[in-house]
């Protein structure tokens, strides 16, 4: 069913007040997401934090069920954590690397992930190898296939990199990983909520995501999916009394499910908000969400192409809702600040966030306009007109 735009905007009252193309930064929360959090905060204030959490126990369990539904996973394969970075780190630092083990990644890998690669290679003697991109900018699948060998311990790539519209071929990578029995960690921070994600179809072993971006959830929320079959190959970098039970003075028992990657203390209100955001997205349907985002982004790319001095910087066969560009006459940060004065939100994306890709493509700061389904064709036209007037 196509998105009911009027309803989506009624559920997002701030859309009347400013133009928000910073959905890959933090999307606007719809009213049910805000309401779920406020309700729980009120309950905490009225009854006490532990008491409120006990009262919300069933709702908290449904958060796992909803995320599992979103990803086509089992609720026991989901861990709730503070953000996508913690989710990714808990998975990555659980892999038992030995000297000479190889980590294969892609050109547009995210800074935090690459920093962790460098950290672990220094600590363990594992090595990082970067799979080149093909002519479209996507990870080159033939090169990936050639580069895998028995020392390849992990394939870790980003599905939708932080800049550049790119959607890496996650499922095709999964087929290589499955065929060669290599662990596969997918950073889906910017694709979850943006497009349909099916972990069975993708074939990843671990997947990390955040709440605040395309899912439209609260800040400070994230989750990790870990496939049942690989749980016991992974050794979490730390354990607490949520991840394990202290059963004797010299012994603990680790949880049998993915919650072994969690820690105990949490923002219950925010996690309930995350659950509401997942339910809200599922209510629209991810196929329809993706179709509308793609159409809006295509229209924006077309309009920007028509403006003299604007260069689009996007890559990939089917670029997603993240539109990046530079202006000949104005640095990205200046343009973003001037747009902000006109109540137009977008973001300046720094080269250091995807250093390998930015260096290879000699990218300066980019203007990143990231669209969501609740944006309108009129906003796309207004954004393009504002860019044309300012450059
Ligand atoms: C590709 C990618 N991965 C991971 C992250 C980190 O997400 P979080 O800030 O929720 O930890 C980001 C954030 O921008 C991102 O773009």
């Amino acid at each position: 069913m196509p998105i009911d735009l009027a309803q989506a905007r009624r559920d997002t009252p701030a859309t009347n007040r400013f133009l928000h193309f910073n959905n890959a930064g933090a999307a606007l929360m719809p009213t049910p997401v805000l309401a779920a959090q406020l309700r729980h905060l009120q309950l905490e204030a009225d009854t006490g934090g532990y008491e409120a959490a006990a009262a919300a126990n069933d709702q908290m369990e449904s958060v796992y069920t909803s995320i599992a539904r979103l990803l086509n996973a089992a609720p026991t394969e989901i861990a709730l954590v503070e953000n996508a970075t913690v989710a990714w780190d808990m998975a990555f630092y659980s892999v038992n690397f030995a000297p000479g083990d190889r980590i294969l990644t892609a050109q547009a890998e995210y800074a935090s992930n690459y920093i962790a690669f460098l950290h672990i290679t220094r600590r363990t003697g594992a090595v990082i190898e970067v799979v080149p991109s093909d002519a479209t900018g996507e990870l080159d699948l033939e090169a990936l296939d050639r580069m895998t060998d028995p020392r390849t311990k992990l394939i870790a790539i980003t599905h939708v990199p932080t800049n550049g519209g790119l959607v890496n071929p996650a499922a095709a990578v999964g087929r290589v990983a499955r065929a060669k029995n290599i662990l596969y960690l997918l950073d889906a921070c910017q694709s979850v909520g943006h497009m349909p994600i099916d972990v069975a179809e993708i074939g990843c072993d671990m997947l990390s995501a955040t709440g605040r971006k395309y899912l439209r959830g609260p800040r400070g929320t994230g989750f990790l999916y870990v496939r049942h079959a690989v749980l016991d190959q992974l050794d979490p970098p730390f354990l607490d009394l949520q991840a394990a039970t202290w059963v004797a003075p010299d012994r603990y028992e680790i949880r049998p499910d993915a919650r072994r990657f969690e820690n105990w203390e949490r923002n219950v209100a925010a996690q309930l908000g995350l659950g509401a955001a997942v339910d809200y997205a599922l209510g629209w349907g991810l196929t329809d969400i993706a179709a509308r985002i793609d159409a809006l982004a295509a229209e924006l790319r077309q309009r920007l192409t028509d403006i003299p001095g604007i260069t689009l910087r996007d890559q990939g066969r089917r670029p997603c809702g993240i539109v990046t560009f530079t202006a000949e006459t104005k640095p990205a940060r200046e343009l973003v600040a001037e747009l902000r004065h006109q109540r137009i939100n977008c973001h300046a994306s720094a080269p250091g966030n995807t250093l390998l890709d930015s260096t290879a493509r000699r990218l300066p700061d980019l203007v990143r306009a990231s669209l969501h389904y609740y944006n309108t064709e009129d906003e796309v036209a207004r954004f393009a007109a504002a860019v044309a007037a300012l450059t």
Side-chain angles (χ1 to χ4, degrees), residues 24 82-86 110 112-113 158 160-162 187 189-190 209-213 221 368:
E82 296 87 337
N83 51 55
T85 304
V86 170
Y110 185 59
S112 295
N113 302 351
T158 296
V160 169
T162 187
D187 175 342
C189 187
Q190 304 211 119
T210 201
R212 73 177 187 283
K213 295 190 181 218
T221 58
R368 184 180 74 178

Side-chain angles (χ1 to χ4, degrees), residues 263-329:
N263 58 78
W264 189 81
E265 172 56 5
R266 60 194 55 223
N267 186 335
V268 177
Q271 292 186 340
L272 292 172
L274 172 67
V278 172
D279 291 341
Y280 189 79
L282 287 168
W284 293 120
L286 272 300
T287 304
D288 290 321
I289 287 175
R292 179 156 173 83
I293 294 174
D294 284 356
L296 287 171
E299 186 169 335
L300 180 59
R301 286 192 183 93
Q302 186 53 54
R303 286 184 182 271
L304 290 170
T305 306
D306 293 341
I307 304 172
I310 297 295
T311 307
L312 279 179
R313 303 294 188 163
D314 294 338
Q315 293 193 298
R317 281 176 185 75
R318 276 196 66 211
C320 64
I322 300 175
V323 179
T324 55
F325 61 94
T326 48
E328 217 168 86
T329 57

